[in-house]
């Protein structure tokens, strides 16, 4: 009997067909990769660029543009390996070095039903946009060189490990934390880092006394619109297939985002008797952020509730809480991305449907999933906050973080880039 066991194992292995490339899945992921990149450049660049003062618009957009370039190279060099390769004894916490310089990523290598090279490119866009989001918290006062150094170190020390925890077979995945497209990996990570950076860097000169209104909300509206469209690649693309899961993710993304827009401007109207363009765009981003972890797990009703909650809660944190605590998170990275990510991650545990994502939430009797989500949120916050603080302090000690006061007053565009917008 025992001599027959290897033969049985060989027959079982032979019965499993080898992975094959699916042209439909590949086509959808190619499109998703392109439109997620659209979120960063030009989407995020325009969104942030319109919200700063005119004297700093080029610096702000250049920060996003150059950051995406630097991070793309880092992903190829080592980021992908740290996030998605086997970490051996450290597998629970970080990947290994076997994929450094994308070793083994050949033309014919597959990741499921798509080329591994395409999976690398798709995940690269996440790796690029997440640190770029942090830029909104420190605009108009941080040195260009120090920012690029911070984002580079942060992406490898914070983003890559957290990505591995959730999507690379790390301990949060083992604990059953649900994050379909980046609520913890992308948005809580970026939001918490942005808050820490804003506090360490300090307030902009004149904050609270000078007029720092956005110089061009048309740019911001166009940027937010590009982000909204690109988010379909973010969420529906994370199904990694052209299937029903991707379709449902697309539907709930639209429902949640629209609900958050209405929720934000409704609260804004109650408080100020005006519904602003800045409020509508901020509400849209809040809804997009909140549905990100939930997109592959909830139905449209759950998405509607998540959107309504995210719009109101993010408004409260971006206005009342920020004012009360006095920190200068310039473009509300924490208030929208951090808080929206937390709201979405926890409510995923409430509204997850087993028939949609394979895991039941509290609404179907699995209350424990809520606590699992809270565990994932806390783990991400703690590591991100501590690591971000240490990186910033080290850069501050050796290179400095802020531009000189005279540069800040005159504007970063003319002083750091020798260019201005007329």
């Amino acid at each position: 009997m025992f001599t027959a066991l290897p033969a049985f194992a060989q027959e079982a292995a032979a019965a499993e067909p080898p992975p094959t490339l699916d042209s439909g899945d590949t086509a959808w992921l190619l499109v998703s990769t392109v439109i997620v990149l659209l979120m960063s450049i030009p989407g995020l660049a325009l969104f942030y660029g319109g919200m700063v003062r005119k004297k700093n618009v080029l610096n702000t957009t250049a920060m996003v543009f150059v950051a995406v370039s630097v991070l793309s190279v880092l992903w190829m060099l080592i980021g992908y390996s740290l996030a998605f390769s086997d970490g051996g004894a450290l597998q629970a916490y970080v990947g290994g070095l076997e994929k450094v310089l994308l070793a083994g990523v050949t033309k014919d290598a597959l990741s499921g039903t798509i080329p591994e090279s395409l999976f690398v490119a798709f995940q690269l866009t996440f790796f690029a946009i997440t640190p770029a989001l942090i830029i909104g918290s420190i605009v108009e006062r941080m040195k260009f060189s120090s920012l690029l150094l911070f984002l580079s170190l942060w992406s490898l020390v914070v983003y890559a490990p957290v990505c591995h925890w959730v999507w690379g077979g790390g301990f949060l995945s083992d604990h059953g934390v649900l994050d379909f497209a980046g609520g913890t990996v992308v948005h809580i990570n970026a939001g918490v880092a942005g808050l820490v950076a804003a506090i360490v860097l300090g307030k902009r000169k004149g904050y609270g006394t000078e007029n720092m209104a956005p110089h061009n909300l048309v740019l911001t509206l166009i940027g937010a619109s590009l982000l909204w469209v690109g988010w379909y690649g973010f969420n529906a693309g994370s199904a990694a297939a052209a299937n029903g899961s991707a379709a449902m993710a697309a539907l709930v993304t639209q429902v949640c985002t629209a609900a958050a827009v209405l929720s934000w401007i409704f609260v804004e109207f109650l408080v100020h008797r005006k519904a602003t363009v800045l409020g509508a765009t901020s509400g849209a981003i809040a809804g997009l952020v909140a549905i990100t972890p939930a997109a592959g797990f909830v139905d449209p009703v759950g998405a509607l509730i998540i959107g309504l909650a995210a719009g109101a809660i993010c408004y409260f944190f971006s206005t009342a809480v920020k004012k009360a605590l006095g920190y200068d998170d310039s473009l509300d990275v924490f208030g929208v991305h951090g808080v929206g990510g937390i709201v979405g991650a926890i409510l995923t545990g409430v509204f997850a449907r087993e028939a949609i994502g394979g895991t039941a939430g509290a609404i179907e009797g699995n209350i424990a999933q809520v606590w699992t989500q809270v565990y994932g949120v806390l783990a991400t916050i703690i590591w991100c906050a501590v690591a971000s603080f240490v990186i910033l302090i080290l850069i501050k000690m050796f290179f400095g973080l802020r531009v000189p006061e005279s540069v800040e007053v005159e504007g970063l565009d003319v002083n750091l880039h020798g260019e201005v917008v007329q």
Side-chain angles (χ1 to χ4, degrees):
M1 180 179 71
F2 291 103
T3 57
L5 285 177
F8 289 144
Q10 290 172 7
E11 290 174 7
E16 293 184 9
T20 58
L21 185 143
D22 185 286
S23 60
D25 294 346
T26 301
W28 169 234
L29 262 293
L30 281 167
V31 172
S32 295
T33 300
V34 171
I35 62 175
V36 175
L37 182 60
L38 183 81
M39 293 170 66
S40 301
I41 46 174
L44 186 65
L46 288 170
F47 182 67
Y48 281 172
M51 284 194 283
V52 297
R53 288 170 289 179
K54 188 177 181 180
K55 63 183 180 180
N56 297 316
V57 59
L58 290 177
N59 175 256
T60 301
T61 53
M63 282 180 170
V64 176
F65 194 89
V66 178
V68 170
S69 304
V70 171
L71 294 161
S72 297
V73 173
L74 278 177
W75 184 245
M76 177 265 176
L77 292 176
I78 192 172
Y80 177 69
S81 190
L82 293 176
F84 287 104
S85 69
D86 188 344
L90 297 176
Q91 171 63 10
Y93 306 106
V94 69
L97 300 177
E98 65 185 59
K99 294 286 186 178
V100 167
L101 295 174
L102 300 185
V105 182
T106 64
K107 179 175 75 70
D108 298 319
L110 294 180
S111 176
T113 60
I114 65 172
E116 186 179 8
S117 58
L118 178 55
F119 179 73
V120 172
F122 181 63
Q123 288 294 333
L124 181 155
T125 60
F126 284 61
F127 183 77
I129 196 173
T130 304
L133 291 172
I134 301 170
I135 291 169
S137 64
I138 54 80
V139 292
E140 302 192 304
R141 62 201 189 276
M142 190 169 185
K143 294 170 64 176
F144 194 71
S145 56
S146 294
L147 171 79
L148 295 178
L149 178 58
F150 169 67
L151 296 185
S152 298
L153 293 174
W154 186 89
S155 67
L156 298 178
V157 175
V158 179
Y159 179 90
V162 175
C163 178
H164 183 80
W165 297 354
V166 178
W167 296 330
F171 75 96
L172 291 186
S173 174
D174 291 340
H175 275 80
V177 172
L178 302 179
D179 186 358
F180 191 72
T184 50
V185 177
V186 176
H187 298 292
I188 296 176
N189 240 352
V192 171
L195 177 62
V196 173
I199 293 172
V200 172
L201 199 61
K203 302 174 185 178
R204 288 168 289 177
K205 181 176 176 56
Y207 178 73
T209 58
E210 296 181 10
N211 181 13
M212 296 185 176
H215 90 283
N216 191 333
L217 283 175
V218 173
L219 295 182
T220 296
L221 180 61
I222 294 171
S225 302
L226 289 168
L227 285 165
W228 191 334
V229 172
W231 225 285
Y232 284 92
F234 215 61
N235 287 358
S238 291
N243 58 17
S245 180
M248 181 59 75
L251 174 60
V252 298
T253 296
Q254 183 68 17
V255 170
C256 184
T257 307
V261 171
L262 300 179
S263 175
W264 186 297
I265 63 174
F266 177 74
V267 175
E268 188 177 52
F269 184 80
L270 290 179
V271 175
H272 298 293
R273 310 308 295 175
K274 290 183 176 66
T276 66
V277 171
L278 182 60
T281 56
S282 300
I285 305 304
L288 290 163
V289 168
I291 197 59
T292 295
F297 303 107
V298 303
D299 62 14
V301 174
L304 178 68
I305 298 171
I306 292 172
L308 294 173
I313 295 172
C314 289
Y315 173 85
F316 175 70
F317 272 85
S318 297
T319 54
V321 172
K322 184 171 78 168
K323 182 178 180 181
L325 298 181
Y327 58 85
D328 183 12
D329 176 10
S330 311
L331 308 183
D332 295 314
V333 176
F334 176 72
V336 174
H337 292 275
V339 174
I342 293 168
V343 170
I346 294 174
L347 291 184
T348 299
V350 175
F351 294 106
R353 295 282 187 177
E354 187 172 5
I356 293 177
T359 301
I363 199 170
E364 292 184 332
N366 181 21
I367 299 176
Q369 189 61 46
V370 176
W371 304 116
T372 299
Q373 296 301 107
V374 171
Y375 172 75
V377 168
L378 292 176
T380 303
I381 290 174
I382 292 170
W383 173 245
C384 181
V386 172
S388 300
F389 179 77
V390 171
I391 295 170
L392 285 162
I393 292 299
L394 289 174
I395 295 174
K396 184 176 182 179
M397 289 172 55
F398 290 102
F399 304 102
L401 290 174
R402 287 189 76 132
V403 298
E405 184 175 311
S406 59
V407 171
E408 186 175 341
V409 171
E410 187 176 6
L412 276 64
D413 289 359
V414 67
N415 283 283
L416 299 189
H417 306 286
E419 300 163 308
V420 294
V421 173
Q422 299 294 341

